[in-house]
Amino acid sequence: MRPNRFRLPRFLRNHKAAAGALILLFFLVFAVIGPWIAPYSPDQTGTAIVVGPSSAHWFGTDQLGRDIYSQLLVGTRGVVVVGFLAGAIATVLSMLIGIASGYLPGRGGESLSVLSNVFLVLPALPLLIIITSTQQSNGWVVILVIGLTSWAWNARLMRAQTLSLRRRDYIEAARATGESTSRIIVFEILPNLTALIASGFIGTVVFTVLTEITLAFVGISVSEWNWGTVLYWAQSQDALAQNAWWWFVPAGLAIALLGTGLALLNFGIDEFVNPRLRSSGPARIKTATGRRVRMRIGFTPVTGAPGELVPALAQDPEGETL
Amino acid sequence: MRRLLTRLGFYLFTAWAAITINFLIAHTLPGDPVSALLAKYAGQINSSAIASLTALFGLNKHQSLWGSYLSYWGQLAHGNLGISFTQFPTPVSTLIGQYLPWTLFLVGTATVLSFVIGTGLGVISGWRRGAWTDGLLPAASFLSSIPYFWLGLIAITVFTGPGSWLPGSFSFSQGLTPVWTTSFVGDALQHAILPAATIVVSTMSGWMLSMRNMMVTVTSEDYITVAHAKGLSERRVMLSYAARNALLPNISGFALSLGFIVSGTFLVEIVFNYQGVGLLLLQAIGADDYPLMQGIFLVITLAVLAANFLADLAYLILDPRTRQEG
Amino acid sequence: MDVIAAETAVLEAEGLTKHFPLPASGRELLGGHARVVHAVDEVTLTLHRGRVTALVGESGSGKSTVARLLAHLQHRTDGSVRLHGQEVKVRGGRKLRAYCRSVQLIFQDPFASLNPVHTVRYTLSRALRVHGHAGRSRAELDQALTDLLGRVRLTPAEQYLAKFPHELSGGQRQRVAIARALAAQPEVLLADEPVSMLDVSIRLGVLNLLRDLKEQLHLAVLYITHDIASARYFADETLVMYAGRMVEGGPSETVTQHPAHPYTRLLINSAPDPERLGTGFGEYDEDGELTEEEDLGEPPSLVTPPTGCRFHPRCPHVMERCSTETPPRFEVPDPDGAPTTQWAACWLYANEEASAA
């Protein structure tokens, strides 16, 4: 008998999902320990003005001599907290409105759908800028506002799925058993939407992180320091003209890396739920007689010497035969 | 026909909502900066300007909210968006009129290019599974996570500088006047290459991914197998059968993403110092120029709604299933 | 009317009607002529405890809609439903739950009627809990679950409780669905084509189970099906529906052996039966071979149904009257002169008896 090897849960065996989870973990760790391990306080001015990377300042300094590496480290927490919080608000809203809109019959559902469409079509950034720059902006208000403008996309998806689920027999059966509407929505429909909700949350977080950074870039900042603020200073101090690449390159890379990690995680979920999306194995394979054959979807090429029929089977990376 | 009217009704309703939101925000400005400004420039503004600012910002304490609302609509009907603080005393509508065409030009070309290239790549990557195109996926998701403006910064660093052909800022060379001559148009195009390329590279991955997903779903349908069995060439099946059907959801997705694209374009303009509405907005924010900010918001929103409506129209024309209904 | 009927009648429908509105164009709305699908028109039936009533018809005849109307999952356009003689006015909420305690519905597709994310234990426990039969402790609940699964012959219970629907076979899933219905301890079971989607070899087992349950629990069963042969096997009384209206009714044996209405005859003849070759609607030569097949026709549009008797475009015995007046129910005389309860809504029987059943 073979000893039980430690096997990752099936979801994480997918390469993309594992890579994404790893990246996310990396940033979460830094979000927590960032301010502790930062060598300087991000506001601490110094004499080394706009100096490139050195042993004292790994990512160089800005126009006030502040250490950019520390700014990024401290900023990670701001980015992660705001992104995830606003993302959570938006996801909860999209669930409530989307599912209710799909389940409630008649005018109720229709009007909620119109509401989501309105929020979807209004361009978010100008709206955000207007609201946050004209109102008293303390951090919580901005988080709330970002959350309030990011829910529409997923609400639409939830509504579409709920509409199709509503017609299923098991929902009618639940009604015939005498279940109340709220129990049906929460316990019968919702569990069938978990993949959609998970993937929606991750997508929303990508969006909220980018939005928050964008707002900081145009001068409306949420927390003390986040990656967008670094870029704001870089832009307004004309880092380009001074060829101070170290000022803006790390920040952007960090954003891109976080975004990629989340996107990979999302791919993993998608492929887990819909096996068809998985990247299949090599497209050209060698058959028994040594000929090369291109695999087509839906076809199992039958090749071999005349008189001899040898079907070629495709294998996907998980080792399961298609 | 019915669908068309429903969509039109929806966009009109949204436009109304946007205008009302604008109105409400204008009325909740902290510290009443507009009155302060009016007091400061009292001698230099003519009475019609004062009247329009009053209506736009509800400065008439004697009017009820509803009354203010109606005056607001009156102002808008005359195309009067107030006077900019920073570029005093230029009317907001004039300013926007100067800067808007550049934005439209940039957004228009970049979006179309990005859609075409992204969709094309998506078709190929969805069709040939397991080929080199699969490697594009992580690259595409990396690219789509990069904020446009950062890509712009990189592009400027890498591609511009002394001796380079590509200009790093402005929409046209300083000192030239905008006229419809070939040399000017050429110059404008030259200045647009980097900003447009930045937008295209960032956004096309989104199209590529969604197109790939749709292609994967479509290629497993039976009618594709029939097409193969009929003996049609692979390219023909890929384009006329699979891509054609997979394209439809992307078109409706295109309409929805216009709002996002506009936001991204603003930032690119800022980075490249491109004389578009985005740059104008940045200046307005920095100087607390409320009339300008609100004017831009309104114009951009209405433009996006109009573009959405056109895209919906295109979808209705392209999808034969929608033509059947009365 | 049957002598026993009055005492054991539990669910009655009278003049049950359901019209589904179609999306109307502007012109139609202004003219006041919104189009509807006449799914069910004036259906009258009675269910008795301890008896199985079959409702037979093609797809589109409205039989599934009748089941949904009787279960009050959809609202009727007209007519009345009486439970124990009391008129039922249920739109949802608590009243629906109380009604469900007496009337339960079993669905056609055994896979679709069970929520794929819930185990058998969850599904049945919910059914028990909603109707207050779950007991107070975990042990009592377990006992109730075991009893329930035992009733539908899924033993040992522990083997089935932890399973998800996709881990069960079609027959097992349908038994779980029946168990779920039984959890409410109902008096009426509305079975909407309970065996149509099961393998033929499994059908008999499930039908026998339903029959045994009917006997043990003294249930009234409405058995909806398109297969008239199974109605003969399983049901005491058979009702035939066509295009939303009822066209014939009576004891199963009589209706299937001596069909009165031309449509019922069509149904019987299209059911393969080795004992009755050569009695189809076509022309036969001396060897009993079918030389000319009658075109059996298609069911009509329910949006603009045929006037008068809805079967008249397909009927081989059509008369003038059939296209203008809708026939009421007429008694069909027994060939031996014995007292009969068979009736048919057909003008062919108008001369026989003046009374309608």
Side-chain angles (χ1 to χ4, degrees), chain B residues 254-271:
Chain B
F254 175 76
L256 288 170
S257 62
L258 280 173
F260 302 128
I261 297 181
V262 160
S263 314
T265 312
F266 280 7
L267 303 174
V268 169
E269 287 180 6
I270 293 173
V271 164

Side-chain angles (χ1 to χ4, degrees), chain B residues 114-126 207-208 211 238 247:
Chain B
S114 152
F115 185 72
V116 167
I117 298 179
T119 312
L121 281 178
V123 166
I124 298 177
S125 133
W207 299 125
M208 191 188 127
M211 192 66 185
M238 178 173 85
L247 193 60

Side-chain angles (χ1 to χ4, degrees), chain A residues 121 134 248 252 260 276 278-279, chain B residues 30 129 134 142 145 150 305:
Chain A
V121 158
T134 56
F248 57 85
T260 309
R276 276 192 239 139
R278 293 184 199 157
S279 311
Chain B
R129 312 268 305 288
D134 260 7
F142 181 74
S145 322
W150 187 77
L305 288 179

